[in-house]
Amino acid sequence: MPETGKPKCGNFCFRLFSFVFSGMKNSRDAYGQQLLAQYKSQTATAEIIERDDFYIDTGSDAGLYFTEYEQWSASEQQAVELAAGRILDVGCGAGRHSLYLQRKGFDATGIDNSPGAIEVCKLRGLNKAIVRPINQIDEFAPDSFDTIIMMGNNFGLFGDAENAKAILEKMSRITAPDAHIIAGTHNPYQTVDAEHLEYHEINRKRGRMPGQLRIRVRFGKIVGDWFDYLFVSPEEMQNIFSDTDWRIEELIAPEEANYFAVIKKKF
Amino acid sequence: MPETGKPKCGNFCFRLFSFVFSGMKNSRDAYGQQLLAQYKSQTATAEIIERDDFYIDTGSDAGLYFTEYEQWSASEQQAVELAAGRILDVGCGAGRHSLYLQRKGFDATGIDNSPGAIEVCKLRGLNKAIVRPINQIDEFAPDSFDTIIMMGNNFGLFGDAENAKAILEKMSRITAPDAHIIAGTHNPYQTVDAEHLEYHEINRKRGRMPGQLRIRVRFGKIVGDWFDYLFVSPEEMQNIFSDTDWRIEELIAPEEANYFAVIKKKF
């Protein structure tokens, strides 16, 4: 489609493009299709993640996305217990946190850019589950939420520091004045793995943050799209919030590789 | 190096080639390097296998190669108990079967084409562990073994029917007159997975047996070499032995997806 001017092919062309594009999106939804397959077969499989330096590994424990509260770490349990009111679960996956919070009586909305993930959430009984990438959260009305949760390292969905600031501005708009964000991340420096340390160096050389992973999910024959997923140290997280409306109120288990931040509005 | 005539570069050239080739071999030993990493870190990871139709999956349960007798299936226990005398373990991996048999007092020799796997066997205390691919088993002297074991689906190492016959001839030579082979495989038709069934069809079209997988192992940044690994039904196995010195004496759990054959010499 030409970049300028009205497309000549009109509605048919638009429908064709939409069809092709929606097909492409689904065919690349390795993450969601894996969740769906696991849900339907009731089997626990580990996801396979490729990094852009050809490093490949299983990215999470088998069955992680379907775990229940009792199986979560102490810090994860502590973090999720801080959610209250109208809750937005960003990158909700198979909905384990939203479903828990819904059962507790909260008004939980799960969003994920993966159509397969959202399908699983609905099949599992999550009332509010929407296909929406994080950078489109401003489609929610102002003052829609009291808590935003970004569990399971989903601080990473900010992608990079600049994008984080743009999204935090949107988060500011769609939340109540006394709202808070609960975000989990992974400290990339808590490793002695030579290949991870080498990747930090590659990232520094190309002007990226050391923990800024470019990764994709593979499942069966489906190759997911590349995306950035940001791991930060507590200090790096602090820097990201410096010129935003938000401040870190509390860190949960900052000495551990996986830790959480409770983030409040400055004013 | 030219295909005909004596190479002009002489000894230096040979050494350079040897160095490059040995480096390449090690750098492609994804399977062995993963075993080594698991052994050293005492962690259980699942191996990642790519098939030549772009299908990717974790190929074995995490930690499988380091399991002990008590963790094996009933049919695997039954199969390994039939080994006796001088035993050759083809594709011994981390040596779980050979180590068990060595502890029982048998003279067990493990071979594997993976240098990393053989290193792990030695580290674990296997007295006889040799880097040797299956098609080089005729390097053993005649009448060297009473039992050949091919555990963990290692019937697959035959690669294809034709190669199986050539290797069975070599196995005939290096074993005693009353020797037997104990070989495990996976029945490829015990699946309802659309992607596996589609792969069978791809194989039929290109003149390969449906269960003739072309696969490679990936570990970290190491991409293993492609190799053929053959899954067969009991009937297909029967056909492979038809014009060889060997016959199936007994099948263990032929109704299961993973089953074993006890193979004896015809004469």
Side-chain angles (χ1 to χ4, degrees):
Chain A
M1 212 179 280
E3 274 184 56
T4 56
K6 197 163 173 270
K8 294 207 171 72
C9 54
N11 195 37
F12 169 75
C13 192
F14 173 75
R15 272 156 50 204
L16 180 68
F17 261 79
S18 302
F19 173 75
V20 170
F21 192 60
S22 73
M24 277 171 64
K25 276 203 294 189
N26 285 330
S27 77
R28 288 171 176 177
D29 184 16
Y31 172 72
Q33 289 304 311
Q34 176 158 22
L35 292 182
L36 208 47
Q38 281 186 75
Y39 178 76
K40 289 181 177 171
S41 66
Q42 296 289 308
T43 55
T45 56
E47 65 185 340
I48 297 172
I49 307 274
E50 268 185 319
R51 202 169 57 192
D52 65 346
D53 62 342
F54 296 104
Y55 182 85
I56 197 165
D57 203 355
T58 48
S60 67
D61 291 338
L64 169 77
Y65 297 107
F66 295 91
T67 51
E68 298 288 342
Y69 183 85
E70 300 71 35
Q71 297 163 273
W72 303 342
S73 71
S75 56
E76 189 171 6
Q77 290 177 344
Q78 195 184 333
V80 83
E81 290 299 347
L82 297 172
R86 300 162 299 165
I87 299 161
L88 178 65
D89 181 359
V90 177
C92 59
R96 65 192 192 279
H97 302 105
S98 278
L99 285 163
Y100 171 75
L101 294 164
Q102 180 177 282
R103 279 195 299 270
K104 282 186 73 176
F106 293 117
D107 177 13
T109 303
I111 62 167
D112 205 294
N113 73 344
S114 157
I118 293 301
E119 195 177 334
V120 170
C121 286
K122 287 178 179 168
L123 288 167
R124 296 180 80 196
L126 185 61
N127 298 328
K128 295 181 175 178
I130 305 166
V131 180
R132 186 167 296 173
I134 188 170
N135 57 11
Q136 287 173 22
I137 51 166
D138 50 345
E139 292 179 17
F140 290 108
D143 194 0
S144 295
F145 301 104
D146 302 300
T147 310
I148 293 179
I149 60 171
M150 305 172 82
M151 305 299 289
N153 297 333
N154 270 346
F155 183 91
L157 292 175
F158 283 135
D160 62 51
E162 199 180 338
N163 203 40
K165 288 174 190 189
I167 292 169
L168 283 163
E169 212 175 292
K170 295 177 181 180
M171 287 182 167
S172 209
R173 260 180 281 150
I174 63 167
T175 52
D178 63 343
H180 59 308
I181 302 169
I182 300 157
T185 186
H186 179 88
N187 187 336
Y189 308 107
Q190 291 215 16
T191 185
V192 291
D193 185 304
E195 293 186 306
H196 295 333
L197 294 171
E198 201 181 306
Y199 189 72
H200 294 176
E201 213 41 56
I202 292 169
N203 266 345
R204 284 190 189 96
K205 279 182 187 153
R206 57 183 180 180
R208 290 160 65 91
M209 289 178 70
Q212 197 180 336
L213 315 182
R214 182 157 292 163
I215 54 177
R216 64 181 180 185
V217 179
R218 292 189 59 172
F219 173 62
K221 292 197 216 176
I222 311 171
V223 180
D225 284 323
W226 290 109
F227 66 100
D228 279 350
Y229 200 67
L230 182 65
F231 285 168
V232 289
S233 68
E235 296 72 25
E236 287 171 332
M237 191 191 276
Q238 190 74 56
N239 286 338
I240 285 172
F241 289 114
S242 64
D243 50 348
T244 70
D245 294 345
W246 300 87
R247 61 178 174 80
I248 298 174
E249 187 177 66
E250 185 195 346
L251 290 174
I252 301 171
E255 71 290 351
E256 290 177 17
N258 295 311
Y259 67 97
F260 292 85
V262 182
I263 301 145
K264 297 277 289 181
K265 288 182 180 174
K266 282 176 185 164
F267 312 105
Chain B
M1 211 179 283
E3 273 185 53
T4 56
K6 197 163 171 269
K8 293 206 174 71
C9 54
N11 194 36
F12 169 75
C13 192
F14 172 76
R15 272 156 50 206
L16 180 68
F17 261 80
S18 302
F19 173 74
V20 170
F21 191 60
S22 74
M24 277 172 61
K25 276 203 295 189
N26 286 330
S27 76
R28 287 173 177 177
D29 185 17
Y31 172 72
Q33 290 304 310
Q34 175 159 21
L35 291 183
L36 208 48
Q38 282 187 73
Y39 177 76
K40 289 180 176 170
S41 65
Q42 296 290 308
T43 55
T45 55
E47 65 185 341
I48 297 172
I49 308 274
E50 268 185 320
R51 202 168 58 191
D52 66 345
D53 61 342
F54 297 104
Y55 182 84
I56 198 165
D57 203 355
T58 48
S60 66
D61 290 338
L64 168 78
Y65 297 107
F66 295 92
T67 51
E68 298 289 342
Y69 184 86
E70 301 70 36
Q71 298 163 273
W72 305 342
S73 70
S75 56
E76 189 171 6
Q77 291 178 342
Q78 194 183 334
V80 83
E81 290 300 350
L82 297 173
R86 301 161 300 165
I87 298 160
L88 178 65
D89 181 358
V90 177
C92 60
R96 66 191 192 280
H97 302 105
S98 279
L99 285 161
Y100 171 75
L101 294 165
Q102 180 177 281
R103 279 196 299 272
K104 283 187 72 175
F106 294 117
D107 177 13
T109 303
I111 62 167
D112 205 294
N113 72 346
S114 157
I118 293 301
E119 195 177 334
V120 170
C121 286
K122 288 177 179 168
L123 289 166
R124 297 180 80 196
L126 185 60
N127 297 328
K128 296 181 175 177
I130 305 166
V131 179
R132 186 167 295 173
I134 189 171
N135 57 10
Q136 286 171 23
I137 52 165
D138 49 347
E139 291 178 18
F140 290 109
D143 194 359
S144 293
F145 301 104
D146 301 302
T147 310
I148 293 178
I149 60 171
M150 306 173 81
M151 305 299 290
N153 297 334
N154 269 346
F155 182 91
L157 292 176
F158 283 133
D160 60 53
E162 200 181 339
N163 203 40
K165 289 175 188 186
I167 292 169
L168 284 164
E169 211 175 293
K170 295 177 181 179
M171 287 184 167
S172 209
R173 261 181 280 152
I174 64 167
T175 51
D178 63 343
H180 60 307
I181 303 168
I182 300 158
T185 186
H186 179 89
N187 187 337
Y189 307 106
Q190 291 215 15
T191 185
V192 290
D193 185 303
E195 292 184 305
H196 294 334
L197 295 172
E198 202 182 307
Y199 189 71
H200 294 176
E201 211 44 55
I202 292 168
N203 267 345
R204 283 190 191 98
K205 278 183 187 152
R206 57 185 179 178
R208 290 161 66 90
M209 288 177 70
Q212 197 178 337
L213 315 182
R214 182 156 290 163
I215 54 176
R216 63 182 182 186
V217 178
R218 294 189 59 172
F219 173 62
K221 290 195 213 175
I222 311 171
V223 181
D225 285 323
W226 290 109
F227 65 101
D228 279 351
Y229 201 67
L230 182 64
F231 286 167
V232 289
S233 67
E235 295 72 27
E236 287 171 330
M237 190 189 277
Q238 190 75 55
N239 287 339
I240 285 172
F241 288 114
S242 64
D243 50 348
T244 70
D245 295 344
W246 301 88
R247 61 178 173 79
I248 298 174
E249 189 179 65
E250 186 194 345
L251 290 173
I252 301 171
E255 71 291 351
E256 290 176 16
N258 295 310
Y259 67 96
F260 291 86
V262 183
I263 301 144
K264 297 279 287 182
K265 289 182 179 174
K266 282 177 184 162
F267 312 106

